């Protein structure tokens, strides 16, 4: 079923949805963030939150009941804590929607009310399906339960984002190779962004760099940069800044100005360079930065992995030990 139909069916059963909660781990909870950000900014009534799955399991919010929708996501569908959260949310009577790429996974078998099987391996756009579908669900919740003036602009954005991702990744391999050559020996790399993209910085730092490249890393909101992290800036300290188009761009620009002032080593991935706002309406452009910038970063990470001879699939603990 499509996001619109799923939310319509839930509304036919329960007109009084009071909360929407996003649950997942690692890249999956980060991928749900743009949807949370969108709803938090635009909803006047519905309470919105997100949890890493075991936080949800051990300290379950009291609001989980038949007046709530829980969206759980696990790419491989086998992360035990996300499966457990799905079962728990169902038991508490919530409407549960699960996202995964594996239709026969433990998550699928946890019997959510709605299972959305998304793509991943086909191309860069497909890697962003989970994030985009979660945002579509959030938009439908807002529009159907409260009304949303920019609904049509969002639909236009959804129609354009996948093609824009595919066009954008075509041209960036030379820059990605340059990034790889200049960052491959760094011992630590810091990531920051703002707005809907703030957890792209988080996911890049904890998953692509720490997990998949074993490179030390830190990440923070570009606004928070001035409330602690900027003290470590000096010439050559490596940063990656995800620059948004939209309302929070001044926050990103302020951080960039500071980094340049003290000659930090900074790579800027700027949605503007890929024409995001020429394709997507100004009113809603903020929410589409994370899809585009995640895809660009993936190309950069792939080149880094090749330059370091350290495949993105290499692990020493994950899925190898009991933990
Ligand atoms: O539940 P998922 O999305 O399959 O995630 C499993 C693992 O994949 C990552 O998201 C990225 O490898 C990890 O952070 C996480 O532990």
């Amino acid at each position: 079923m499509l996001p619109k139909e799923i939310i319509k069916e839930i509304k036919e059963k329960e007109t009084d949805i009071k909360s929407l909660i996003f649950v997942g781990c690692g890249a999956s909870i980060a991928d749900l963030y743009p949807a949370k950000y969108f709803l938090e900014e635009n909803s006047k009534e519905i309470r919105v939150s997100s949890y890493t799955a075991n936080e949800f399991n051990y300290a379950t919010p009291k609001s989980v009941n038949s007046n709530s929708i829980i969206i759980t996501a696990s790419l491989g569908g086998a992360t035990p804590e996300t499966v457990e959260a799905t079962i728990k949310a169902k038991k508490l009577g919530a409407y549960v929607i699960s996202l995964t790429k594996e239709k026969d996974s433990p998550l699928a078998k946890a019997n959510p009310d709605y299972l959305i099987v998304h793509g991943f391996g086909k191309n860069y756009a497909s890697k962003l399906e989970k994030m985009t579908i979660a945002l579509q669900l959030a938009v439908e919740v807002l529009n159907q339960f409260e009304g949303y003036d920019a609904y049509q602009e969002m639909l236009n954005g959804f129609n354009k984002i996948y093609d824009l991702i595919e066009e954008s990744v075509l041209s960036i391999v030379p820059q990605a190779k340059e990034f790889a050559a200049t960052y491959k020996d760094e011992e630590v790399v810091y990531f920051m962004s703002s707005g809907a993209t703030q957890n792209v910085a988080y996911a890049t730092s904890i998953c692509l760099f720490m997990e998949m490249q074993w490179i030390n890393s830190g990440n923070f909101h570009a606004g928070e940069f001035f409330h602690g992290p900027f003290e470590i800036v000096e010439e050559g300290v490596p940063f990656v800044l995800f620059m948004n188009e939209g309302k929070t761009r001044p926050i990103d620009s302020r951080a960039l100005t500071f980094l340049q002032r003290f000659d930090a080593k900074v790579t800027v991935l700027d949605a503007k360079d890929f024409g995001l706002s020429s394709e997507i309406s100004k009113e809603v452009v903020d929410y589409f930065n994370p899809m585009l910038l995640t895809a660009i970063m993936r190309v950069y990470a792939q080149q880094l992995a090749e330059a370091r001879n350290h495949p993105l699939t290499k692990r020493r603990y994950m899925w190898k030990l009991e933990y």
Side-chain angles (χ1 to χ4, degrees):
M1 270 171 104
L2 295 170
K4 184 175 183 172
E5 294 161 3
I6 292 174
I7 303 305
K8 182 167 176 272
E9 195 172 279
I10 293 175
K11 195 179 173 199
E12 279 159 12
K13 293 180 189 151
E14 178 55 70
T15 51
D16 189 21
I17 290 295
K18 290 190 182 358
S19 66
L20 194 149
I21 300 177
F22 297 95
V23 181
C25 294
S28 280
I29 191 61
D31 284 352
L32 299 178
Y33 186 76
K36 178 192 181 237
Y37 180 87
F38 165 82
L39 211 50
E40 226 165 22
E41 189 185 350
N42 292 292
S43 167
K44 298 192 183 91
E45 306 289 340
I46 298 170
R47 172 178 160 182
V48 191
S49 49
S50 76
Y51 292 86
T52 186
N54 257 350
E55 183 73 29
F56 181 89
N57 295 331
Y58 286 109
T60 312
K62 300 271 184 298
S63 65
V64 182
N65 57 28
S66 60
N67 298 102
S68 47
I69 297 175
I70 313 297
I71 298 180
T72 66
S74 170
L75 182 67
T79 300
E81 49 264 58
T82 308
V83 176
E84 190 185 328
T86 303
I87 295 168
K88 183 155 207 177
K90 277 273 297 179
K91 268 197 195 127
L92 291 168
Y95 293 91
V96 182
I97 306 169
S98 295
L99 308 179
T100 180
K101 73 176 174 63
E102 298 297 340
K103 69 173 175 25
D104 297 319
S105 59
L107 184 67
K109 291 181 182 140
N111 205 20
D113 297 285
Y114 301 95
L115 180 73
I116 299 182
V117 179
H118 57 77
F120 189 75
K122 192 173 142 216
N123 53 22
Y124 284 94
S126 71
K127 294 190 195 316
L128 274 305
E129 283 183 25
K130 187 203 314 159
M131 191 188 274
T132 308
I133 292 168
L135 180 60
Q136 284 173 317
L137 287 164
V139 170
E140 288 303 330
V141 167
L142 183 69
N143 191 48
Q144 296 190 35
F145 284 89
E146 297 186 22
Y148 177 46
D149 288 345
Y151 180 66
Q152 195 52 50
E153 285 78 358
M154 284 300 279
L155 294 191
N156 293 343
F158 290 127
N159 282 335
K160 296 204 165 144
I161 189 67
Y162 292 127
D163 285 348
L164 182 62
I165 288 171
E166 284 304 298
E167 280 160 29
S168 304
V169 296
L170 280 179
S171 60
I172 56 166
V173 173
Q175 290 117 275
K177 279 191 191 299
E178 200 185 315
F179 169 82
T182 52
Y183 280 66
K184 73 181 176 34
D185 299 318
E186 294 298 351
E187 285 182 2
V188 61
V189 181
Y190 299 105
F191 295 87
M192 59 177 154
S193 192
S194 65
T197 311
Q198 57 193 276
N199 279 6
V200 175
Y202 169 75
T204 305
S205 172
I206 73 155
C207 295
L208 286 173
F209 274 66
M210 298 175 85
E211 173 189 334
M212 301 182 196
Q213 288 297 299
W214 308 353
I215 298 177
N216 287 311
S217 178
N219 68 90
F220 25 86
H221 188 284
E224 286 293 288
F225 172 63
F226 293 98
H227 303 284
F230 76 151
E231 284 292 340
I232 57 95
V233 172
E234 53 187 40
E235 188 178 345
V237 175
F239 278 82
V240 174
L241 175 67
F242 297 98
M243 289 274 290
N244 289 274
E245 287 226 80
K247 293 188 281 292
T248 65
R249 190 173 178 86
I251 302 175
D252 303 331
S253 300
R254 182 183 173 212
L256 179 59
T257 303
F258 191 89
L259 290 171
Q260 288 171 336
R261 183 167 152 202
F262 292 97
D263 290 326
K265 178 173 175 176
V266 55
T267 293
V268 180
L269 304 188
D270 188 348
K272 197 171 194 164
D273 292 341
F274 302 95
L276 188 67
S277 63
S278 331
E279 291 290 321
I280 293 176
S281 158
K282 215 172 128 226
E283 266 177 290
V284 298
V285 70
D286 299 56
Y287 313 114
F288 292 91
N289 288 288
M291 292 89 192
L292 178 61
L293 294 174
T294 296
I296 306 293
M297 188 65 234
R298 271 257 157 192
V299 180
Y300 277 49
Q302 185 55 45
Q303 291 302 326
L304 184 68
E306 286 172 27
R308 300 180 74 241
N309 200 18
H310 183 124
L312 293 172
T313 48
K314 187 169 169 177
R315 305 285 185 280
R316 50 184 159 183
Y317 309 127
M318 191 177 277
W319 304 306
K320 298 200 161 158
L321 303 176
E322 285 290 321
Y323 52 91

